Amino acid sequence: DGPPFATGLPHYGHLLTGTIKDIVPRYRTMRGDRVERRFGWDTHGLPIEALAQEALGVSGAHEIKAIGIDKFNEQCRSMVLKYVGEWRKTVSRMGRWVDFDNDYKTMDPGFMESVWWVFKQLWNQGRIYKSHRIMPYSWKLSTPLSNFEAGNNYKDVQDPAVTVRIKALETRGFAPGGDVYLLVWTTTPWTLPENLAVCAGASIDYVAVRDLSDAARPVYVMAEARLATIFKNAGQYETVARFKGEALKGWRYEPLFPYFADKAAAGAFTVFNDDYVTTGDGTGLVHIAPAYGEDDFRVCKENGMEAFADPLDDSCAFTDAVPEYAGRFCKDCDKDIIKRLKAEGKLVHQATIVHSYPFCDRTDTPLIYRAIDAWYVRIEDIRDKLAANNATVHWTPSYVGEKRFGNWLAEARDWNISRNRFWGSCIPVWINEADKDDMICVGSVKELEELSGVKVTDLHKHNIDKIAIVKDGKTYRRTPEVLDCWFESGSMPYAQRHYMGEGGEESFFPADFIAEGLDQTRGWFYTLMVLGTCLFGKSPYRNVVVNGLVLAEDGKKMSKRLKNYPDPVKMLDTYGADAIRLYMIYSPVVRAENLKFSENGVKQIMRDLLIPWWNAYSFFTTYANVDGFAESEVARGAGGGNVLDRWIVSSLETLVADVTVAMDAYDLQRSVRPFVRFVEDLTNWYIRRSRRRFWKSTNDSDKIDAYRTLRYVLVQLSKVAAPFTPFIAEEIYRNLKGDGDPDSVHLCSFPEADASARDTALERRMAAVQTVVELGRRLRADSDLKVRQPLSAVRVAGADVAGLEDLIMDELNVKEVVFVADETELCDITCKANFKTLGPKCGPKMKAVAAAVAAMTAAEAPAPGRTVTVEGIEIAAEDVLVTRKPRAGLAVASEGAAVVAIETKLTPELVAEGLVREFVSHVQSMRKEADFEVVQRINLAVSADDEMRAAIESHVDYVKNETLSLSISFDSAEGGAETSLNGHKTVIRVDKA
């Protein structure tokens, strides 16, 4: 588990990852695996330090040191678990099973000691080193960051872009007469006081031009391709010379500012060559401040220039080395520096650019790239090993591992693991006071105690820094930095167990499954992989589920200030955890895509799945209680020979198989998609089609079979759904389980798909029936024929529904199902070319193909899964637009290969039966409004016209059976309710019998 900080309340991102981390362990437990569920807490680092600074009223490293690191760290310790109670409450309400009582914290001495053990292993491998190099630096936190942290928060910002002229002093034989200036461009004016070199591209074409608009006629040197950025037309200058950039190498120039003029003796203020210079922007001459740029630092080092100028303090404010700007944050000085350059006649051009710039992810302040001492783990030499280990991992979705993570590993840089902070695991390196190259790496508390003679009880900075090691007459003091928290995160598999290399790591390493957000490809996933590869030569995880971000409904980041998302606690109170869990897992967010969280989406899940499922359960319990159905065992499989029983059990087994395959592949979205279809089939097909079986007055074998089948399906469905919707599954299971079954659904085994109970042919035929019924209902609606109005026949072509005609007749309220061999018996067919799809295929043959398509008969036209060849071109069903003109008295519709027609003509007998069905429906509504029990017998009194009365009298037995009526009186309906049934005024009174 990638543990959270407890410095704030859980948000939807936490609820999402927590749900994923709950579903998989629940499923694997039900499959017979033992799964530990220890909760963990990230307790070190900047979130806690920020809270502590606020509580103590201090800001920045200087003020922390002023009040005392011991006081500050103890304040951090006291605030670490501020919201643990709220976390425990919310996590538990979301249904996540996790052990809070046996948790681990990264500040535990055992955890911190294991981190030291990990560090010592890398030290012994020669992977730890200290270096002075350019790093992204958070001035607000006074600490360098790793490259992957710096890439997490880019923003488009406006910065000044200035071109300045620097006077050349030594031009290697070039003497055009008059002063010569190098034109240099930069977007960081604050670095110009620290300029120590200029860089030109050796193969770039440069020009020396005389500025005719200036009375002094100065000569400017710049890239020829960039002339137009300085001179708007050719009449403003004359070309003095052309040369390649290599000719500029070694030119000396006058310092732009006086502060570091003494660096000239060390080789500063010289023009160098390097290929990183381009002419895409600027002037083709690059300003170099080696303390503040990676290329700047490299170029100076490669050219042997030892000069260095870094007049910034820990907060990136200028020191007294630059007295005019001392005490001010460097970027705040841009305007004053530009103003000064202009006053001194050194500013040639000024503009503003918009570009993407990295910000500190913790403080949202712009980063400064500067040279600084830091500790590193050597990574670049094991890129191939990292890639090979990554190839053994199953990623969901796969592209994250293959592309995003794989590409990141291919370019992996040495990892900066040191932070100039206070509350964290200490870097366990003690350095000789007299010889900085003489170091001792400590790998355990016992080792430190033996080396120092001091009892060690706490491994935090304010305690450990007091401990000196005296060895062979030399005194060693700990290096002051703490470890990057990501080092702790990567050490978690070992540190949570206080593992110290004693063996037996195969019991917990590698992990079978981990899950976190997409951003962790550069965070937790990466640090785990690096340390696992270095320590044990393999990936520390086998399967990864990567989730996307949960955003507000408007697509923006969720913001407490903007209040643009619903309160998680209120959502839990209103809809319950099951709905929220299912909504998130059903979405693409579990496949690394973003989710715009919508309360309406949660409502939809309630309406489409949870409420229908609960209604199915309520239906069963209602009728089972009425009939006294209370078998002590849950029947295993279908109750009997009823085709609906066999079909729903087969569909259940298909569901089990589909969910099992998806979950074994860690594809959570695919695992829950079949639920929606199955619950729809269960409620809107099986139960609705079987309703009369439960209404029977006698408990015959078919009724018992219906009870047994529905109970079995509901119990099995609870088991399949238990990992996803633990609360509703538990409630239904506990009320329906058999006497010998486990007390909880979560103690059950996950169902094994029973191939013998599957009848895929029946499932296909039932799906065809549902298609025919859907088409028939659509035709009724289009023809303004109510479903309660019987029709004489429905005609079907291209659908295998043999043996299930009764279902179609009952669903569509028709007297007969007629099968026809060919749809031409139902309609006239006209074929027309689909120019949109055929055009790109056919080209110049389009006219001939279109004519051939127009001449096709129904039998000749392509169909789903069958293509035809015309003029050498393969044509599919989507390439042909088919128009069907129904034959007289029919209405026709099609889907795929199925074509359905209904007979629209109504006979007097059909009209009468339609009236009776309307009457029965209205009486049923009256029973419901009166809140009658489902078995309550009634007497009916009716006042109606002759046509309605005749219709009722001709179907009196049907009416009595459907409405549970003992009698129907037409003498008087005084006190009844008046209604209109298909235009017939009718008064109906319903009395309890």
Side-chain angles (χ1 to χ4, degrees), residues 443-464:
S444 69
V445 169
K446 181 181 179 182
E447 185 179 354
L448 179 58
E449 290 178 340
E450 291 174 349
L451 287 167
S452 67
V454 177
K455 181 67 176 176
V456 178
T457 57
D458 182 78
L459 299 184
H460 287 97
K461 178 179 173 64
H462 59 291
N463 292 309
I464 293 298

Side-chain angles (χ1 to χ4, degrees), residues 716-790:
Q716 291 297 94
L717 179 59
S718 294
K719 295 177 185 177
V720 178
F724 309 97
T725 54
F727 293 104
I728 187 174
E730 178 76 344
E731 182 71 13
I732 292 174
Y733 171 83
R734 285 201 178 193
N735 290 335
L736 298 183
K737 72 181 185 67
D739 288 347
D741 292 333
D743 289 339
S744 168
V745 71
H746 305 294
L747 299 176
C748 294
S749 295
F750 196 84
E752 295 283 346
D754 183 0
S756 65
R758 291 184 68 178
D759 187 339
T760 54
L762 175 58
E763 290 184 50
R764 284 195 299 271
R765 284 191 296 134
M766 194 66 77
V769 168
Q770 291 171 318
T771 298
V772 169
V773 168
E774 183 180 346
L775 291 172
R777 287 174 179 164
R778 189 190 310 166
L779 289 171
R780 275 183 167 277
D782 293 344
S783 304
D784 198 23
L785 293 167
K786 295 180 180 179
V787 175
R788 283 190 286 272
Q789 173 59 61

Side-chain angles (χ1 to χ4, degrees), residues 210-279:
R210 194 178 304 280
D211 186 356
L212 302 180
S213 64
D214 188 332
R217 296 295 193 267
V219 173
Y220 293 145
V221 177
M222 64 183 299
E224 185 171 15
R226 302 300 298 172
L227 266 173
T229 63
I230 302 299
F231 299 100
K232 299 307 178 186
N233 59 72
Q236 292 178 295
Y237 66 89
E238 66 176 4
T239 302
V240 175
R242 286 184 170 86
F243 34 75
K244 292 290 186 181
E246 61 185 356
L248 295 171
K249 185 175 182 180
W251 283 26
R252 307 279 293 174
Y253 63 87
E254 182 181 274
L256 193 60
F257 287 85
Y259 309 116
F260 304 104
D262 60 330
K263 305 288 185 183
F269 312 115
T270 303
V271 178
F272 299 132
N273 283 161
D274 196 86
D275 291 339
Y276 91 93
V277 180
T278 68
T279 57

Side-chain angles (χ1 to χ4, degrees), residues 394-398 400 543-547 590-592 665-668:
H394 174 256
W395 288 82
T396 303
S398 59
V400 174
N543 299 280
V544 187
V545 173
V546 185
N547 63 266
V590 294
R591 298 187 58 79
Y666 293 86
D667 191 338
L668 273 67

